[in-house]
Structure formats: C-alpha cells, structure tokens
Amino acid sequence: MSETAPDSADGNVASGTGDNSFVVVANRLPVDMIIESDGTKSWQESPGGLVSAVSPVLEKHQGCWVGWPGVTDEAPEPFRTERGVLLHPVELTQHDFEEFYEGFSNATLWPLYHNLIVTPEFNRSWWDAYRDVNLRFATEVASVAAPGATVWVQDYQLQLVPGILRQLRPDLTIGFFLHIPFPPPDIYRQLPWRSEMLRGLLDADLIGFHLESNVRNFVELCRGYDMEVSGEIKVREAGITITLPNGHSLGVGVFPISIDTSAIAATLAADTHHESHGELEQMHHNMGSPSTVFLGVDRLDYTKGILQRLLAFEELLDSGALDPKEVALVQLATPSRERIDSYRTTRSNVEEAVGRINGRFSQIGRPVVHYQHRSVTKDVLMRYYRLADVMLVTPFRDGMNLVAKEFVATRADSSGALVLSEFAGAADELTQAHLCNPFDIEDIKKAMLQATWGLKNNPEAMKERMSAMYNQVMEHDVDLWANAFLGALGALEQKHSV
Ligand code: ADQ
C-alpha cells in the first residue's frame, strides 16, 4: 500500500485559509489516516474509483482537497502531499460515521441510486446527520476558498453542499459530479427528502453525470418539478440548461470519467525492470501455469456481481466446459463498508463460494480460485491485469467502472479479452467487449466461453476488438474528463458574469 508522507510532519502546515482558487470537496480524502495499536499514525491511499480519477486532476492543478481523513474523532492539521495537493481534513464523529456515512450515504442513497439491488433504508435520524455533515463540509469549503474560486463537489454523499455553499459564498463557481448512476425518477421519488435533496443540488452551476441515461433520468425528474428545461443532451458539454423559479440557471451534461493513462503507462514501463527478473512468469508459475487466467478486481460490494461471476465459473467447471487443470480465476476484493449488513452478507456468500469451488475442483497446491480480500499497490495491480487473459467485470449496476478501462489500458499489444456487464457505464464506450447480462448466469457463462474460445481460435478478430477498446481508452483519458468538465464550468461562469 502506497504511503503519502504529509509535510505537516516537518511543520509545513498550510498557511492561512481562503486563498485556494481551486477546491475539490469529497467525502473522503485521497489518503486515510491509519492508527496503529501503539498510537503511531501514518497515511495510506484510500480505496475506490473517485480517488483514482480525481487525484491526478488535483495534482495537475495543485489544488486543495477537503474531505474526511478516514478515522473518526480525529482532525489532523491541513497538510500538503509530496505531489503538491493541499489536504484539508474534516472531522467526522463516530455518530456521523454511523448515521451519515454508513447510514444515509451507504444504506439509503447507494442502494436507491443503484436501482434497489438491496432495499434502501429510510431513517429520519440518518437524514438529520446527512444535513449536519453536509453543512460542516460546506462551511469548511467556504473557509478555504479564495474569492471567486471554483469548487468541484464530488458525489452522492455531498448533494446538499452546492445549496449551502451558494448561501454562504455566492461568489463561488460550483460544479457537481455524480460518480454513481442517477436512478429513474420513479425510484428517486421514493426518497422521503427528495425535494430538499434536489434543491440542494440545483444550486450548482454545472452538474455532470457519466451517461446520457443518467442525464435523461435527471431531466425527467426536474420536469416533474416544473423546472424550465432547454437544450439537448451533449457529451463533454453542458448541453442542457435548467432554470429555477428564482432565476438561477445551471448546465447539465454527460462527462464520462476515465483513467490516468499516462500514470498507467509509466507504471508499466517501470515494471519492465521486474520483468527482466521474470516476476510475471513467476506469478503465473505460482498459480500452476494455467492456460487461461480469469481476473476480477472490485471493491467488495454487492453491486459488483462477484458472487454471480463465481457461480458462472463454477458451473462451467462442473459441466466440463472449462477444465480445472487448465484454468484459474483470480479475484481481488478490496474491503469496503464492512460493518453494513448487506456487505457482510455479500462477503460471506463470496467466501463460501470460493471455498466450495476450491473444495470441489482444486488439487493440492493448485487452487482454481485465488482470492485476496485486501488492496494491492498500483504496480502489483498492473501486474495482475497483465497476467489476465480474460478480465471479468460483471456489476449489476455501476456508474462507470474504472477497472474495465484500467485493464484495457494495459493492452497496448491488443492481447486478452474483456467480459463486461451491459449495466456498467463503461459498456457505453467499450462496445467491443464481450457484453453480458449479469443477472443471467447463462449469459455470463456464454460471454466467458466466447472470450476463451475466441482467444484460442480467432486471435486476429480478438485483437481487433481489443485494439479498438485500447484506442478508445487512450483517446478519452481522465484529463479529457476533467478538462471538459472544468472547461464547461468556466464557460458558464463567464456567461453569468457578463
Ligand atoms: P468504485 O465503485 O470504487 O467507483 P471503480 O470505478 O471500478 O469502482 O474503481 C475502483 C478503483 O479501485 C479502481 O481504480 C481500481 O484499480 C481500484 N481497486 C479495486 N480493487 C482493488 C484492489 N484489490 N487493490 C487495489 N486497487 C483496487 C465509483 C463508482 C464507479 C465509477 C468510479 C469513478 O461506483 O462506477 O467508475 O466511482 O467515478
């Protein structure tokens, strides 16, 4: 796990506040504070797609990141990372963590926005905590932002921040990006606090979503509230304008998030050193030299469809369609939201399936499923991507899914295949993948077999598919995402100030 050494250790605490012209605010800082049993404190990269995507943007802008440091009841001083990003921690109490983070954010909004894969819980005291914590984040941002600064609010945990900030600091330009899907209006309307939530969001100057379907859902919802909607949906532009009864207008657009392709290229290049020592071959050898390696890389979340993927693999072994002496499946699962019941159940179901499949099909010293319930460093992750023949990305629903794009970015040689859920946002762009319906185990099996068969019997066609996806990802990286969003936000700001 990579460590980021704060300069505060040598006394270089951020001097003064209110002088940051670019501020990102997200629930989590890009690093988590780790407190050892002897009280020693250190920092580790925090998990998840938002951090992967937004970190390089902040590094390029040398901006300020306001967020929670990952441990409760701790308020470290602001500090600058080695890469020049000013981190401004916001304290969450244990009560906030339970009611705002685990409760409202992850047991109400997360399942609601992911189309009810599990049933959302509506709890009034969680909503109170959500409002309180959003007020705290907005107040912190208001104190660090320079006059006329640009503030970019990230994700579903902070949907009230644009509205509160607008009250506190009318001089700011406020963008909001939603990293998860926006649900159909009928589902959104189940939320008891739907109007206040929507009102908070609409005080932004620009709202960005990953997909056209997200924007359609959002616009339909707004029309139901008698807002004036004009323009048309555009990609990487604020094609839609929504005007509120008080005269405030905002832009809405599709901004598909992506990955830092140059950082991946640099990691791959650095890895050639290890390559010369045969590290990749050694990993393959340690796995029993399977002719086909399937790979899954996910936060351990019920939306990611890990269990269904394992069941599909088990059925293929059971029927003899795959030979357990020839294949292996590696599943890396980052621990996530571990105290929430639905996450505990998902973990125990996944681990039970791993144990059963290995019990049925492994030989001594050669498991068919290699399962790791922990994070790995980026360079090790890249090595797993390179090792894989068939990448399995089968979420029931996913805003985008960066893992699919990261895998493709390691395939400059056009090797390998991607099995991809049609309900991952990435399926809108990676159309050459082996698409499947993750709710249909037969369909996952079919896609896995087509990919395996294609690699053996039709390598040229498979290379064409991978090459098209590789070019797509290389031409649409995270810089394009950030520049398009911030460019559209800047253009709106100029329009308003004319
Ligand atoms: P996530 O749900 O976290 O992100 P994803 O987009 O796949 O999903 O990002 C996961 C990130 O974590 C990737 O960068 C991946 O490399 C990393 N990761 C996963 N498992 C790992 C492991 N075992 N070790 C190390 N790193 C690991 C949310 C939304 C997505 C959306 C992103 C960005 O749910 O739909 O794509 O935000 O907007």
Side-chain angles (χ1 to χ4, degrees), residues 49 52 179 299 304 334 374 376 381 398-402 406:
S52 304
H179 290 259
R299 273 188 312 99
K304 303 290 182 183
T334 311
R374 55 184 183 266
V376 295
L381 179 59
D398 215 330
M400 175 56 73
N401 195 291
L402 297 179
E406 287 167 356

Side-chain angles (χ1 to χ4, degrees), residues 192-378:
W193 309 278
R194 57 199 182 182
S195 305
E196 192 174 344
M197 183 74 94
L198 182 63
R199 190 66 196 79
L201 257 185
L202 289 170
D203 267 326
D205 294 294
L206 173 64
I207 301 181
F209 298 92
H210 290 303
L211 307 178
E212 278 192 42
S213 56
N214 302 154
V215 174
R216 272 199 303 276
N217 288 342
F218 187 72
V219 164
E220 197 187 323
L221 179 72
C222 289
R223 284 210 170 96
Y225 278 86
D226 284 335
M227 313 254 172
E228 202 183 304
V229 178
S230 59
E232 58 189 64
I233 299 178
K234 290 198 176 151
V235 180
R236 295 184 193 88
E237 284 179 54
I240 297 278
T241 301
I242 296 178
T243 306
L244 276 57
N246 68 3
H248 171 71
S249 69
L250 66 148
V252 177
V254 180
F255 297 89
I257 207 165
S258 194
I259 55 167
D260 189 354
T261 51
S262 49
I264 289 184
T267 308
L268 292 176
D271 211 34
T272 49
H273 168 72
H274 294 282
E275 189 72 352
S276 60
H277 293 85
E279 295 253 336
L280 208 61
E281 286 73 17
Q282 190 60 48
M283 276 170 82
H284 192 245
H285 175 76
N286 290 347
M287 289 169 59
S289 303
S291 57
T292 304
V293 176
F294 295 94
L295 174 66
V297 176
D298 312 80
R299 273 188 312 99
L300 213 167
D301 192 300
Y302 54 80
T303 59
K304 303 290 182 183
I306 302 171
L307 179 63
Q308 277 58 27
R309 184 186 305 163
L310 288 166
L311 296 178
F313 185 60
E314 182 176 24
E315 288 189 15
L316 289 171
L317 294 170
D318 200 24
S319 67
L322 293 177
D323 179 351
K325 293 194 205 70
E326 292 290 317
V327 300
L329 190 155
V330 179
Q331 177 64 55
L332 307 183
T334 311
S336 189
R337 306 171 194 169
E338 292 204 278
R339 295 170 8 132
I340 301 176
D341 284 346
S342 47
Y343 285 76
R344 284 191 183 152
T345 310
T346 303
R347 178 176 174 190
S348 77
N349 290 343
V350 162
E351 294 185 350
E352 184 189 320
V354 170
R356 188 184 59 246
I357 299 168
N358 276 334
R360 293 184 66 195
F361 299 105
S362 294
Q363 292 169 336
I364 297 296
R366 194 194 177 297
V368 279
V369 181
H370 300 259
Y371 170 75
Q372 291 189 3
H373 181 242
R374 55 184 183 266
S375 273
V376 295
T377 57
K378 288 287 172 207

